[in-house]
Amino acid sequence: MQLGIIGLGRMGGNIARRLMANGHSCVVYDTKKSAVEELAKEGASGASDLSNFTAQLQKPRAVWIMLPAGEITENTIVELSALLQPGDVVIDGGNSWYRDDIRRAQMLRAKGVHFIDVGTSGGVWVLQRGYCMMIGGEPAVVKHLDPIFKTLGPGLGDIPRTPGREKLGGTAEQGYLHCGPNGAVHFVKMVHNGIEYGVMAAYAEGLGILRDANVGKQEHAIDAETTPLRDPEHYQYDLNLRDISEVWRRGSVIASWLLDLTAAALVKDPALAKFAGQVSDSGEGRWTIKAAIDEAVPVPVLSAALYQRFSSRGESDYQDKLLSAMRYYFGGHVEKTAK
């Protein structure tokens, strides 16, 4: 099957490679000319602009957009819509807001163009592992694109089958699922990423406690501004986080792919010296919290994980200064110099 791909970054380029390795053909476009040229050398048909891109696609065209959510995706869909014809399909595989999906589907439907939204999970590992995909849109169009989704999905792999699952059928255990109409899938992916924030924060906080389990061996200031460490003899452990994260991978109830990646990172760089610790959030965590508020669903863990990302980037500096100012003015408390 032929697929056009717009956006050849960390994920889009490897989507093309996985498809071509399994017999599909790809027409590719990116504003970065070198990315197009690289994939052209590997067998893709490169395009110089969107007009040239659509001209190379067989009708009905299928176009997969793999761009950052927001204005760039919006502008690309608007420009592309003027070049497509009734029966063509636009697929948004980025982390778009689900409400944008609903609006974009309506806009394209007026032109006779179908819209499919796909939430993709798996990071940059699509070549080796395939993508977990959540799919939204018209059932007939999703079925037409099944060869693409089946190729990009991870398949059964070596994951044990869920007991009784073989009686249910469907594609979920192949790693892709039609979740519902436009918007449903990015709603699911939004919550998926909100959960991801919480899981990542839990690993980071837990390993942080283990890292500082030797605090009782350290010298501590004794002054009015510092709560003393009681029972320092209880915190005398020099723990090997590389080995702990590794042993947790082996049969532990908290084993996961995120833990696999954590263990690999600690083997490569135990001090994590290349990272500043300023953790970005690309929107899904915020949207998850907003949906939880609208639904009156309490999500204290996910909220705390999102706010911690803000703090990691220095967004709490002003509040922290105010706290210090209040302590100084009501009690003469002087800030201690950071270590």
Side-chain angles (χ1 to χ4, degrees), residues 10-11 14 120-126 131 257:
R10 294 171 296 176
M11 297 173 76
N14 282 338
T120 56
S121 181
V124 298
W125 296 85
V126 65
Y131 278 144
W257 187 41

Side-chain angles (χ1 to χ4, degrees), residues 41-87:
K41 292 176 183 176
E42 298 177 36
S45 297
S48 56
D49 54 39
L50 285 182
S51 180
N52 178 248
F53 171 80
T54 54
Q56 294 187 56
L57 291 170
Q58 302 163 6
K59 300 176 184 178
R61 305 174 181 91
V63 179
W64 186 303
I65 298 173
M66 204 65 184
L67 296 168
E71 186 175 354
I72 186 170
T73 294
E74 181 75 14
N75 292 342
T76 300
I77 290 175
V78 170
E79 185 177 352
L80 194 60
S81 68
L83 299 169
L84 297 178
Q85 297 176 347

Side-chain angles (χ1 to χ4, degrees), residues 19 223 282 299 308 310:
L19 289 172
D223 56 53
S282 55
V299 287
Q308 176 55 38
F310 296 167

Side-chain angles (χ1 to χ4, degrees), residues 44 72 159 168 194 318:
I72 186 170
I159 300 174
L168 300 178
Y318 182 70

Side-chain angles (χ1 to χ4, degrees), residues 124-147:
V124 298
W125 296 85
V126 65
L127 273 180
Q128 297 93 329
R129 295 170 57 103
Y131 278 144
C132 169
M133 289 171 291
M134 296 139 272
I135 305 161
E138 301 161 80
V141 180
V142 173
K143 185 176 180 180
H144 169 70
L145 294 169
D146 187 77

